[in-house]
Amino acid sequence: MEVRIKNIRIGGGNSPKIMGVLNISPESFFSDSFTPCDQVVTRAEEIIREGADIIDLGARSTALNAPPLTVADERERVLTVMKELDGYGAVLSLDTMHPEVLDAALHYDLAAINDINGLGNPEYAKLAADSGLPVIAMAARQLPGDPLDMAGTHAALQEILDRAGKYGMCNLILDPGVGKWTDDRSLAADWDLCRQFSELKQYDCPLLAAVSRKTFIGDCIGKPAHERIYGTLGVLFYLLENGADIVRVHDVGASRDVARVFEQL
């Protein structure tokens, strides 16, 4: 199945797409990626110049043990940046799980919605459906990323499809939720999910892979987040080979090169 985010075709045999992270959360696990709100236009220009098809705006760290952030503060951060980028022409998705933040952002030029809670909040799901925008939905049953193994991931993705069907949503991209989202989730589960990524093609939806600089890679190579680019690129190539249609990355230029080499091969 093909999903279009504005004029960008994702899945359906199209070339893999690059989603560049625009991180406005100083609490992020990868501090080098943080962009202050007064520098977002410059950073957005860099992301586009490096080869991103879509910019994914995130204002809240979802890493384990991240400092708390109120919904009001997340909303304020997002609106500040949306106002800066409004009319700029960038293809923007918004990474938030809170309906209050999404509702406010929908007044601006938003092209897609990125929900790590997998449409689990009915108020959020209705807002997303009514917007008519494409939705990226991550595997979640009760909490974002809570499946503990491949069977749980399959169950969570099926629940997402059921939720989407309830609201008449068809422009859906699935994110299996690689990463240590909960204390109970093991790093081995992330490797298993990567190894079995091709199984997810059975859902006939475009697949997003979001593995950039994550903990399971750092554990493997014994390096902190700011030294994980090469490990990330290795996993990225494997996931492209196994069905990823769009990749969410911090390192846009390097990831674009990998995608081009993948296509050539």
Side-chain angles (χ1 to χ4, degrees), residues 36-250:
C37 289
D38 61 355
Q39 297 176 25
V40 293
V41 172
T42 299
R43 179 58 186 142
E45 289 174 345
E46 290 175 351
I47 291 172
I48 292 169
R49 188 166 59 249
E50 290 171 0
D53 301 289
I54 301 163
I55 295 176
D56 191 43
L57 174 63
R60 173 188 295 272
S61 174
T62 53
L64 286 176
N65 303 317
L69 181 72
T70 67
V71 174
D73 284 344
E74 181 187 357
R75 181 179 181 275
E76 181 179 355
R77 288 178 183 179
V78 167
L79 289 185
T80 297
V81 171
M82 294 296 291
K83 289 172 185 176
E84 285 286 320
L85 295 176
D86 198 39
Y88 177 71
V91 179
L92 285 176
S93 63
L94 176 64
D95 178 1
T96 186
M97 59 184 284
H98 297 289
E100 302 92 332
V101 180
L102 176 60
D103 186 41
L106 286 171
H107 294 283
Y108 295 89
D109 188 17
L110 196 63
I113 297 166
N114 186 1
D115 180 19
I116 63 169
N117 200 33
L119 302 174
N121 181 316
E123 182 184 355
Y124 187 108
K126 187 175 188 308
L127 275 171
D130 290 347
S131 76
L133 294 176
V135 173
I136 301 161
M138 192 182 83
R141 306 195 77 177
Q142 303 299 322
L143 295 169
D146 58 2
L148 301 182
D149 53 24
M150 198 64 187
T153 298
H154 279 296
L157 294 178
Q158 186 58 58
E159 284 188 33
I160 288 172
L161 293 175
D162 294 342
R163 293 166 186 161
K166 177 181 176 181
Y167 290 94
M169 301 166 66
C170 54
N171 288 326
L172 192 66
I173 296 170
L174 295 179
D175 173 1
V178 179
K180 190 168 176 59
W181 294 89
T182 68
D183 284 320
D184 293 336
R185 186 181 174 95
S186 70
L187 301 180
D190 287 332
W191 288 111
D192 286 342
L193 180 48
C194 289
R195 292 185 193 103
Q196 300 174 65
F197 196 88
S198 62
E199 290 184 13
L200 306 177
K201 292 187 283 187
Q202 68 183 272
Y203 297 105
D204 195 30
C205 288
L207 299 173
L208 179 139
V211 299
S212 184
R213 297 179 180 263
K214 288 191 172 180
T215 301
F216 76 109
I217 296 173
D219 177 75
C220 174
I221 62 178
K223 293 184 177 180
H226 66 277
E227 296 180 7
R228 296 175 187 166
I229 181 171
Y230 302 118
T232 294
L233 296 178
V235 176
L236 189 69
F237 190 91
Y238 181 86
L239 294 178
L240 289 172
E241 285 190 308
N242 283 274
D245 298 293
I246 178 170
V247 292
R248 183 181 185 274
V249 300
H250 298 97

Side-chain angles (χ1 to χ4, degrees), residues 17-44:
K17 300 301 186 291
I18 306 293
M19 171 182 277
V21 175
L22 180 54
N23 172 25
I24 58 170
S25 167
E27 304 87 9
S28 173
F29 83 98
F30 178 34
S31 58
D32 289 358
S33 69
F34 168 62
T35 301
C37 289
D38 61 355
Q39 297 176 25
V40 293
V41 172
T42 299
R43 179 58 186 142

